[in-house]
Amino acid sequence: MRPDERGFDLFERSRDPVIAFDPAGSVIYANPAARELLGDVRAWTTCFPGETVGAGSFEWTAKERSFSAEVSPIEHGLLCISRDQTTLKRRERMMVDTQGRAHLGTWEWDISQPNAVWSDELYRIYGLTPETYTPSYEAYLTMVHDDDRQRVIDATNRVFHEHVPYSHDERIFRPDGSMRYLHTWAFPILDRAAKLTPLIGFSQDITD
C-alpha cells in the first residue's frame, strides 16, 4: 500500500519510527525510520511489549537504542509513534552513577503537599527504601540528631519566610541506629508572583 493512500506520507521523512496497525494488529504501514530500525516490521513484537497493542504508552528497545512510544487510535486501526530516548537514558544512568560515587542524594518538596520526592541515592544514604518510607518534613526531623534539629528547623523556616537558600552540616540516624554526617543544600524556587513553590535540595554523606 502506498503511504499516501491513507495519509501516512506525512511520516515518510520523519526520523521517528512510525508504524500503523489495522484492527487485527497487522502492520499496514511503516515509515523508512521504522523499516531501517526493525527490518521486517511484521516481527515488531520481538521489540515491543508482549501484550496486545492498544492505545497508551510504553518503552521498547532495538539495536541497543531506547524508545518511548505513544499508541493512538486512528480511523484504520492504531498509530504508534516512537521517539529515541537513548541519549536521555544514558544521561540518566550517568547521573545515577555520579550520585552514587559522590554519595549525593537529591530531593524536591512541593510545600503545598505533605510528602517530598527523594532520589534513590538519598534513600540509600538514610538506609531506607521507597517501599517502607514516604518522605515528609516531619518524618525527616525525627531522624535528625537532637542537637542539630532546632538549627535545621530555623533554616527551613527562614526559607519559608525570606526565600533564601541554606547550607549546613547535620547528623542523622538510620533505622539501624548508625549515625551519618550529611552536608545539605536547599534552594527555594519562586513563581512569577514571588511565591515559594518547590524547595529542592542536595544531601551528601560526608561521614567518611
Side-chain angles (χ1 to χ4, degrees):
M1 175 177 292
R2 297 196 314 272
D4 58 351
E5 289 188 26
R6 291 186 174 177
F8 295 137
D9 57 313
L10 297 173
F11 303 112
E12 284 292 286
R13 295 180 179 272
S14 174
R15 296 181 179 179
D16 296 325
V18 179
I19 304 175
F21 309 91
D22 65 17
S26 299
V27 174
I28 57 176
Y29 169 74
N31 71 343
R35 295 196 298 271
E36 179 183 356
L37 184 66
L38 297 176
D40 184 358
V41 294
R42 290 174 297 179
W44 66 274
T45 51
T46 61
C47 297
F48 290 14
E51 60 268 17
T52 303
V53 174
S57 60
F58 58 87
E59 296 184 351
W60 60 283
T61 60
K63 295 184 178 180
E64 299 183 350
R65 293 164 63 186
S66 301
F67 295 87
S68 62
E70 292 289 339
V71 181
S72 304
I74 57 176
E75 181 181 356
H76 312 291
L78 294 168
L79 183 69
C80 177
I81 300 178
S82 300
R83 288 180 169 78
D84 195 331
Q85 302 290 320
T86 307
T87 301
L88 177 61
K89 293 291 185 182
R90 186 179 298 118
R91 289 175 178 172
E92 289 177 348
R93 288 194 296 269
M94 291 175 62
M95 178 63 73
V96 170
D97 184 61
T98 299
Q99 289 184 359
R101 291 177 181 272
H103 302 296
L104 181 69
T106 60
W107 51 270
E108 180 175 345
W109 178 27
D110 179 347
I111 64 171
S112 67
Q113 302 298 320
N115 300 323
V117 177
W118 282 14
S119 69
D120 290 342
E121 181 60 24
L122 193 58
Y123 278 103
R124 284 191 285 269
I125 289 173
Y126 276 80
L128 298 166
T129 66
E131 294 76 23
T132 60
Y133 177 77
T134 301
S136 71
Y137 179 55
E138 291 75 14
Y140 151 72
L141 287 177
T142 65
M143 295 182 285
V144 177
H145 193 289
D146 289 346
D147 293 342
D148 298 339
R149 188 175 299 121
Q150 189 58 51
R151 177 162 48 82
V152 170
I153 293 173
D154 292 343
T156 305
N157 287 338
R158 190 180 178 200
V159 173
F160 290 159
H161 295 99
E162 301 179 29
H163 299 165
V164 293
Y166 68 73
S167 171
H168 60 231
D169 292 337
E170 59 185 316
R171 291 164 290 180
I172 61 98
F173 290 99
R174 288 175 166 176
D176 63 5
S178 61
M179 186 173 68
R180 308 300 292 179
Y181 290 80
L182 308 185
H183 187 79
T184 296
W185 301 262
F187 303 89
I189 305 298
L190 308 180
D191 62 17
R192 292 184 178 181
K195 179 181 177 181
L196 177 63
T197 47
L199 188 64
I200 62 173
F202 308 86
S203 294
Q204 185 173 32
D205 188 339
I206 58 173
T207 306
D208 294 339

